[in-house]
Amino acid sequence: LVVDGWRILRFTARVGVGKVCYRQARDAVLGWNFHSKCGKKSMGIVSINASGFLGESEGLRNIARSKGYSRPRKSLLATFTELALPFVQIYVVNPVHTVYEKVDCWHRPSKCVYSCTSYATLRGHLLSGEERVLARMRSSGEVYVEIVSFSRAGPSVIGKIVWPFIGRVQKQFFMKEIDHLAKAAIRS
């Protein structure tokens, strides 16, 4: 979907059932670090000042009464993509930063608990935009992860050149991120 020059992508997957699954999905969402190898291509997100996983919060133990909490964050991250060609490897590393986190928040209308975080691009990124990643547990206990991305060409000449060709790579990146979150949610 493209609206006013912004490419909007949304990916959702059911990853399991129950509080343990939700906690693991939540921790993976808030942890940001993932790496995936796809054929000769490698991609992921690395955290420059990573914090550890969260423990069980009061909000998760008492979901019906929880309002959760929200906090601004300025963690530095980098997205990366590597493409191995026959005689050369090409690396693209783009700077981003975490904008906010919401942890174990109760959404009364849909009767679900959710945790989410968002990152935005920084100067030097080939694209301009933001990505929000969410873990949600419905009242039935079903756990879902979701990624929503808004992006457009960055202001640089290179950003404008690669923009028409980057859509497929973006979709692969987000699908690999969904796969990572799904695996994290069901680890034992």
Side-chain angles (χ1 to χ4, degrees), residues 7-13 32 34 36 43-45 79-81 96 119 121 125 127 129-133 145-151 163 166-182:
R7 179 184 295 138
I8 303 168
L9 301 172
R10 181 175 182 239
F11 302 89
T12 303
W32 278 120
F34 97 91
S36 177
M43 55 183 53
I45 300 175
T79 61
F80 67 90
T81 302
V96 295
Y119 74 73
T121 57
H125 198 295
L127 306 179
E130 185 173 322
E131 173 187 342
R132 189 214 52 204
V133 183
V145 292
E146 177 182 83
I147 296 172
V148 177
S149 166
F150 297 82
S151 62
W163 175 247
I166 202 101
R168 197 178 98 217
V169 174
Q170 271 190 307
K171 288 177 186 174
Q172 287 175 343
F173 183 89
F174 294 133
M175 291 303 297
K176 291 298 178 184
E177 190 174 359
I178 286 282
D179 288 346
H180 163 77
L181 296 171

Side-chain angles (χ1 to χ4, degrees), residues 98-172:
T98 306
V99 178
Y100 67 85
E101 290 181 340
K102 290 184 175 220
V103 183
D104 296 332
C105 297
W106 177 251
H107 188 253
R108 189 177 309 270
S110 60
K111 297 180 181 173
C112 72
V113 65
Y114 70 94
S115 294
C116 63
T117 186
S118 171
Y119 74 73
T121 57
L122 290 171
R123 185 176 183 184
H125 198 295
L126 293 175
L127 306 179
S128 293
E130 185 173 322
E131 173 187 342
R132 189 214 52 204
V133 183
L134 175 133
R136 170 180 54 237
M137 182 171 64
R138 293 184 174 170
S139 59
S140 64
E142 292 179 298
V143 178
Y144 291 82
V145 292
E146 177 182 83
I147 296 172
V148 177
S149 166
F150 297 82
S151 62
R152 64 181 176 193
S156 71
V157 172
I158 295 173
K160 291 179 185 349
I161 290 170
V162 301
W163 175 247
F165 309 103
I166 202 101
R168 197 178 98 217
V169 174
Q170 271 190 307
K171 288 177 186 174
Q172 287 175 343

Side-chain angles (χ1 to χ4, degrees), residues 30-76:
L30 299 174
W32 278 120
N33 290 306
F34 97 91
H35 176 253
S36 177
K37 190 90 169 150
C38 179
K40 293 185 176 187
K41 186 183 293 182
S42 179
M43 55 183 53
I45 300 175
V46 292
S47 177
I48 294 167
N49 51 349
S51 59
F53 290 117
L54 299 173
E56 183 172 357
S57 73
E58 186 67 26
L60 185 55
R61 284 192 293 267
N62 298 307
I63 289 171
R65 294 181 297 217
S66 173
K67 293 183 181 176
Y69 64 90
S70 178
R71 64 181 173 213
R73 268 183 80 183
K74 288 293 182 185
S75 298
L76 296 176

